[in-house]
Amino acid sequence: MRAPFGSSRAPLIWIAGTGWDNVAGTDRNIVEALSKHRQILWVDPPVAVSPWHVAKAATRLATGQLNKPTTSWASDTVLRLRVSAPPGVTRPGIRSLTALCLNRAIRSALAAAGWRPDCVVAAFPLARFPSDVPGSRVLYVTDDWLSGAALMGFSRRAMQRVMTYNLAHSSVVAAVSGSLLEDLRAMLPAEPARALHYPQLFAVLPNGCPAPAVGAPRSRSNVAGLVGQLNERLDMDLLEAVQQAGINLRIIGPRTDRDPAFGQRFDALLQNENVEWTGPLPGGKIPDELSRLGTGLTPYRDSAFNRASFPLKTLEYLSAGVPVVATDSPAVRWLATNHVAVAANRQDFVDKVLKSLHNRNDGAAEMERRSFARAHSWEARAKEFLSLIEASAVSAVPPGKERKVQL
């Protein structure tokens, strides 16, 4: 076991929406920033094991021989918990058993580490807050989970039940965008018949970005770049328009698309001479890639899921000093900066990309972009998050005062 860290600060539990080893998104980025201030129990989403392992675990449970939690140190201050569950973890009937496995694993890991947390964060749409675990409850919604249920391969109905439960039990409800937060408010159980514990705090906690680049700006290539996961959220009309305008396009990131029609169009785009796809790259190589791009693209389709999201790539471009051309969204309007050019249509998108590339080596503008991004760094977001936890502790409902209902 690692030496105690910040012994006067209680650890927190983060039930993540993605595994620690997956592409780093909101969960991983903010937790790494938080881990400079707190010890954290990071909980991977439950992973199905074989029926043989399930039978073995059931036998051990029946005889009182509990398995030790599968934990490992992801960093000096982040203890990672892997949770095994029966096959079909998201299927009806199995979900309750999966929730039990998750509950037991968290309690066992806390006992083994000798930790008493002061906060539990649910950032996975199918994970209820664990029972018999101390600390305030924070529901952190990082995307429009309900609109994206099919994209994630989850049951919308099951997701809605879990979210309603967590909303009723939360002391803090946070979301990456204002529109998403309003949707969550609308989901609250009606007073008084369905209310269990009204949240004391609502907060918009947007995505952040890495610490801004340092040093003098370097010469940038006459290339438009698209960085991130490549899937149906992207507007293929805009990407095809950029390519057809003769603009060099460099695409960086893993493909996660499922729709055959989208896949065919994306395959065709990659066949063009002025389009290069690197595939997924290690995180350590991304800063160098960004330092050479002439402009960064955030070309998202107009959908309910995208309107509620807060694209990571936009702030990452700005942090690297890269000018951005994006489609309109509440997240872009929230940033309120002229360093993100918002396009109204296909031709306008192309025109703004060409203009951005023409001005790509404006060193003063690049330094302004880095300065702007500094206020939106993951470190800044982590401090905002810790402030929410402290505020929720002050305004918490005394034990025994919560309303009890069935959900």
Side-chain angles (χ1 to χ4, degrees), residues 2 42 49 98 115 145 187 198 259-260 312 322 328 384:
R2 302 291 174 95
W42 167 284
V49 295
T98 300
W115 285 359
W145 293 336
M187 288 178 62
Y198 268 122
D259 179 58
L312 286 164
V322 184
D328 191 18
E384 293 173 30

Side-chain angles (χ1 to χ4, degrees), residues 217-225 247-248 290-296 320-324 352-367 369-370:
R218 58 191 287 187
S219 179
R220 294 188 173 275
S221 303
N222 189 27
V223 174
I247 298 168
N248 293 319
L290 292 173
S291 72
R292 289 180 285 149
L293 294 179
T295 192
V322 184
V324 183
K352 283 183 165 60
V353 172
L354 289 170
K355 181 179 179 180
S356 181
L357 288 172
H358 179 74
N359 298 320
R360 66 186 182 277
N361 287 317
D362 184 336
E366 174 159 345
M367 298 304 288
R369 285 188 283 271
R370 296 186 196 177

Side-chain angles (χ1 to χ4, degrees), residues 278-290:
T278 68
L281 294 179
K285 290 189 175 182
I286 299 300
D288 184 60
E289 290 284 343
L290 292 173

Side-chain angles (χ1 to χ4, degrees), residues 181-195:
L181 191 65
E182 289 307 308
D183 289 344
L184 293 171
R185 285 181 185 271
M187 288 178 62
L188 275 171
E191 168 74 29
R194 301 291 291 172

Side-chain angles (χ1 to χ4, degrees), residues 20-285:
W20 182 265
D21 292 332
N22 291 6
V23 176
T26 304
D27 289 326
R28 171 81 179 263
N29 282 302
I30 196 169
V31 163
E32 287 184 332
L34 285 167
S35 68
K36 298 175 183 177
H37 308 274
R38 297 284 193 95
Q39 284 183 314
I40 297 173
L41 177 65
W42 167 284
V43 184
D44 274 3
V47 175
V49 295
S50 69
W52 180 85
H53 284 95
V54 175
K56 184 177 179 181
T59 300
R60 293 180 64 85
L61 185 63
T63 57
Q65 304 175 43
L66 297 179
N67 288 329
K68 293 182 178 180
T70 305
T71 58
S72 59
W73 288 96
S75 71
D76 287 341
T77 53
V78 178
L79 182 62
R80 178 187 182 187
L81 171 64
R82 295 178 176 88
V83 180
S84 298
V89 294
T90 63
R91 293 174 56 188
I94 302 296
R95 286 193 291 265
S96 296
L97 187 54
T98 300
L100 178 63
C101 292
L102 185 69
N103 243 8
R104 287 182 179 274
I106 290 174
R107 293 202 300 268
S108 179
L110 289 172
W115 285 359
R116 182 177 176 82
D118 71 346
C119 177
V120 182
V121 181
F124 178 45
L126 288 177
R128 294 191 179 204
F129 288 119
S131 58
D132 301 323
V133 173
S136 59
R137 266 59 175 152
V138 178
L139 175 62
Y140 186 30
V141 181
T142 56
D143 268 314
D144 187 346
W145 293 336
L146 293 178
S147 292
L151 187 66
M152 293 183 281
F154 294 157
S155 162
R156 179 187 173 98
R157 183 177 179 183
M159 198 181 294
Q160 188 159 16
R161 287 179 62 86
V162 171
M163 289 177 66
T164 300
Y165 176 90
N166 285 344
L167 276 167
H169 285 75
S170 297
S171 49
V172 177
V173 175
V176 295
S177 69
S179 61
L180 188 52
L181 191 65
E182 289 307 308
D183 289 344
L184 293 171
R185 285 181 185 271
M187 288 178 62
L188 275 171
E191 168 74 29
R194 301 291 291 172
L196 179 123
H197 180 125
Y198 268 122
Q200 280 70 57
L201 296 175
F202 287 86
V204 175
L205 189 70
N207 284 325
C209 59
V214 296
R218 58 191 287 187
S219 179
R220 294 188 173 275
S221 303
N222 189 27
V223 174
L226 171 64
V227 179
Q229 297 194 51
L230 311 170
N231 54 38
E232 294 83 356
R233 296 182 65 186
L234 298 172
D235 190 324
M236 285 301 303
D237 285 344
L238 299 182
L239 290 175
E240 290 165 352
V242 169
Q243 181 275 317
Q244 291 164 10
I247 298 168
N248 293 319
L249 183 58
R250 184 168 175 81
I251 301 175
I252 303 164
R255 287 187 62 167
T256 57
D257 54 296
R258 298 182 179 184
D259 179 58
F262 175 90
Q264 290 175 4
R265 289 183 72 178
F266 198 81
D267 288 340
L269 178 72
L270 298 180
Q271 299 304 311
N272 293 283
E273 292 184 357
N274 60 333
V275 179
E276 180 183 8
W277 177 43
T278 68
L281 294 179
K285 290 189 175 182

